[in-house]
Amino acid sequence: MEHELRAEYADGSSPGDDDPAVRTWHVVRGNGSTAMCGRALDPASAVRSVDLWGTGQVPICHSCGALFLRESP
């Protein structure tokens, strides 16, 4: 199954802002907008490669990360 990272924005920030503030990144299955932890994310939110998981380059939801590990070979 394919996964990707999708942004959750800080309060008062949204995908349409010029410089949106990302609170954390969640792991989603496929190209969905519901995080593995169950949080509903804006379908227009930014997307990143799941290859960033575990690199420390972006803050990742702990719950999503744990669930992602269980699905990764």
Side-chain angles (χ1 to χ4, degrees):
M1 173 172 281
E2 295 292 321
H3 297 83
E4 63 186 11
L5 300 179
R6 188 171 288 273
E8 173 188 353
Y9 295 96
D11 292 339
S13 192
S14 69
D17 293 347
D18 289 335
D19 188 21
V22 174
R23 175 182 297 166
T24 192
W25 292 87
H26 292 272
V27 181
V28 298
R29 292 179 183 99
N31 59 357
S33 61
T34 301
M36 291 180 72
C37 69
R39 182 174 297 272
L41 302 168
D42 187 327
S45 62
V47 174
R48 298 270 197 272
S49 169
V50 77
D51 293 339
L52 289 174
W53 182 91
T55 66
Q57 295 178 10
V58 294
I60 302 221
C61 169
H62 179 76
S63 297
C64 284
L67 293 167
F68 174 67
L69 265 179
R70 295 181 190 276
E71 291 188 7
S72 297

